[in-house]
Amino acid sequence: MRTQVAIIGAGPAGMFLAHLLRRDGIDAVVIERRDRAYVEGRVRAGVLEQVTVDLMHRLGLAKRLVREGLVHGGTNLSLDGRLFRIDMAALTGGSTVTVYGQQEVMRDLFDAAEANDLPIVWNAVNVTLDGLDGDQPTVSWQADEAHQTLACDFVVGCDGYHGISRSAIPADVLKTFERVYPFGWLGILADVPPADHELIYANHERGFALASMRSATRSRYYIQCGVDENVADWSDDRFWDELCLRLGPETAAKVTRGPSFEKAIAPLRSFVSEPMRWGRLFLAGDAAHIVPPTGAKGMNLAVSDVTMLGEAFAEHYGERSDAGIDGYSARALARVWKAERFSWWFTSVTHRFPTMDGFDRRIQMAELDYIRGSEAAQRTLAENYVGLPMTAA
Ligand code: RFL
Ligand code: PHB
């Protein structure tokens, strides 16, 4: 078997890249460890930046997004129950974000892949990469007990934080940078109307809370919790009580309670590995970097990485220029680090850290109070939240 680009992983990074390459007439095969139901079933991102929305339009994948996506021109911050709104659209010359769940994005990507016969290998086990530093790399795996080998020009590791691609880069080349946060997010989904038509990021003495949604009838709520806590200890009643305390009485009065049908704890981490290219291997998305979810950047970064990579491959095959391929790592990392900075900062000002003393708490309160009163500070937050532009190569 032979292809031009082998893509490891059928998450957002891998599937957006597969569609981009197909549009440009470049052959690709996606090799995924799990099955479609598993990848589509993971409850994750909820907020799409304009770059992601634009890409879905360009790829002809935006029909349902236009119908069902919720366009938000603002977002809200709350400090000990006192709310204020950031008018993102007014502060950024009209930019918005769109609430549309990662599960919906994956469904659209997979439906279109089926309709266009994009080759995806499901349930591939023991995926191994060889020859990445030569000019004839191969990907091998086992599926249905059979051993398969795919020869290709390039391999793109879109296999997430726990994937195998990153470790193919020699240890003396790969540099990693990491912050692990001393808390997690306990998230629920419930079929109840959201508390507000926009998101609310709440800093409270007892810890962070986030009011989000998937539709006018489905809410997504998160509360900061200990990393070692057990989901089983969080009954729905306990969750709703704690959420309402942290959101404060004004918002709590608008919270509709109901049974949750999904409840899970996610750890928070900042992580970057450099470079994002080694020989004929490229990394994209969570395989190369992780952000805490506070800035809603993870999936959007995966999309901007593969947009840059798609342009680079189009140049390589179409114009016979390797400028894009050679510049990919530096170009992608420049955007990644700015999103890392924003996600780290937004986490730092909204969460309760176990080491925080009275001084730290008052600095945090002063920072949020400053944002409340300063248009300049609000604009800085808004332009990062809606997504920084993708700079030229
Ligand atoms: P993924 O989605 O992890 O996909 C990787 C795929 O690779 C497969 N794989 C392998 N395949 C073959 N061989 C192997 N050895 C393999 N190892 C792994 C996996 O099965 C999987 O299918 O990475 P990708 O494509 O880079 O996409 C990244 C995003 O999924 C992630 O950044 C976001 O979900 C992060 N995120 C958010 N991002 C946003 O942009 N906005 C948000 O509002 C947002 N909220 C969130 C989030 C992530 C969260 N959690 C649970 C981590 C909220 C949460 C709670
Ligand atoms: C979500 O709705 O899942 C969500 C929204 C905003 C975030 C993170 C997650 O910052």
Side-chain angles (χ1 to χ4, degrees):
M1 251 200 294
R2 202 196 137 76
T3 192
Q4 289 176 303
V5 181
I7 298 171
I8 317 299
M15 289 310 300
F16 271 113
L17 182 61
H19 281 283
L20 278 164
L21 296 179
R22 168 58 65 88
R23 186 198 58 179
D24 291 334
I26 300 165
D27 282 339
V29 175
V30 182
I31 300 129
E32 164 61 48
R33 191 168 57 126
R34 312 298 294 250
D35 59 18
R36 173 175 169 168
Y38 175 86
V39 180
E40 209 175 303
R42 296 178 311 172
V43 180
R44 287 182 154 200
V47 178
L48 310 186
E49 290 177 355
Q50 198 60 47
V51 285
T52 304
V53 171
D54 289 347
L55 181 61
M56 290 187 71
H57 278 280
R58 282 208 305 282
L59 293 171
L61 297 171
K63 216 167 141 199
R64 234 161 39 92
L65 172 68
V66 167
R67 213 171 52 228
E68 297 172 20
L70 307 171
V71 177
H72 286 190
T75 197
N76 302 281
L77 299 188
S78 156
L79 174 59
D80 289 334
R82 232 177 115 206
L83 265 186
F84 62 101
R85 181 170 186 269
I86 313 281
D87 189 340
M88 297 183 302
L91 290 159
T92 59
S95 295
T96 56
V97 295
T98 302
V99 173
Y100 190 69
Q102 183 164 331
Q103 291 177 285
E104 309 308 320
V105 175
M106 293 316 300
R107 188 174 137 198
D108 295 338
L109 286 163
F110 289 142
D111 283 352
E114 267 179 26
N116 297 318
D117 284 328
L118 288 190
I120 306 175
V121 178
W122 299 106
N123 301 309
V125 293
N126 296 330
V127 175
T128 50
L129 313 179
D130 290 293
L132 298 166
D133 52 350
D135 53 15
Q136 190 60 264
T138 57
V139 180
S140 314
W141 67 92
Q142 277 160 297
D144 301 327
E145 314 269 296
H147 188 85
Q148 310 278 350
T149 299
L150 176 68
C152 56
D153 299 335
F154 300 103
V155 177
V156 185
C158 297
D159 48 351
Y161 181 67
H162 300 288
I164 44 100
S165 302
R166 190 174 62 247
S167 59
I169 302 180
D172 60 341
V173 175
L174 192 75
K175 285 199 200 73
T176 60
F177 304 88
E178 187 169 41
R179 275 279 175 286
V180 177
Y181 298 85
F183 40 73
W185 277 18
L186 169 62
I188 66 152
L189 274 173
D191 277 330
V192 290
D196 194 273
H197 68 286
E198 291 173 342
L199 271 60
I200 301 171
Y201 290 86
N203 175 323
H204 189 272
E205 188 73 59
R206 296 174 64 89
F208 172 80
L210 171 60
S212 181
M213 68 210 62
R214 289 292 175 273
S215 69
T217 55
R218 180 165 292 180
S219 299
R220 177 81 166 139
Y221 289 109
Y222 297 95
I223 54 173
Q224 175 187 347
C225 66
V227 251
D228 298 325
E229 284 194 61
N230 195 337
V231 180
D233 294 334
W234 283 93
S235 66
D236 282 356
D237 281 341
R238 182 177 171 210
F239 182 93
W240 291 116
D241 287 346
E242 187 64 32
L243 176 77
C244 286
L245 267 179
R246 295 186 192 184
L247 292 174
E250 188 190 333
T251 305
K254 299 189 292 169
V255 170
T256 308
R257 298 182 183 216
S260 70
F261 61 89
E262 149 85 22
K263 199 184 279 165
I265 296 178
L268 267 66
R269 180 189 302 275
S270 298
F271 172 84
V272 182
S273 69
E274 298 180 352
M276 285 172 64
R277 177 223 179 158
W278 181 71
R280 288 183 173 252
L281 171 70
F282 297 82
L283 300 179
D286 280 14
H289 41 74
I290 296 287
V291 284
T294 324
K297 293 279 166 256
M299 181 166 64
N300 295 297
L301 275 184
V303 168
S304 61
D305 286 353
V306 297
T307 302
M308 294 177 198
L309 209 43
E311 288 171 13
F313 285 134
E315 268 175 47
H316 172 83
Y317 288 109
E319 299 160 30
R320 306 258 155 226
S321 159
D322 279 349
I325 279 180
D326 292 338
Y328 167 69
S329 181
R331 186 183 176 205
L333 283 167
R335 192 170 193 275
V336 164
W337 272 113
K338 291 187 197 89
E340 290 284 345
R341 185 208 69 80
F342 174 68
S343 304
W344 160 83
W345 170 82
F346 202 25
T347 304
S348 307
V349 295
T350 49
H351 288 66
R352 175 131 198 106
F353 288 71
T355 51
M356 264 171 90
D357 61 12
F359 180 86
D360 297 313
R361 175 76 184 143
R362 274 164 185 73
I363 290 289
Q364 219 182 39
M365 290 160 79
E367 182 140 15
L368 288 167
D369 202 36
Y370 167 63
I371 297 169
R372 187 206 316 265
S374 160
E375 190 181 299
Q378 290 188 11
R379 181 167 290 118
T380 299
L381 195 162
E383 72 176 355
N384 282 280
Y385 191 84
V386 299
L388 294 173
M390 277 211 294
T391 49

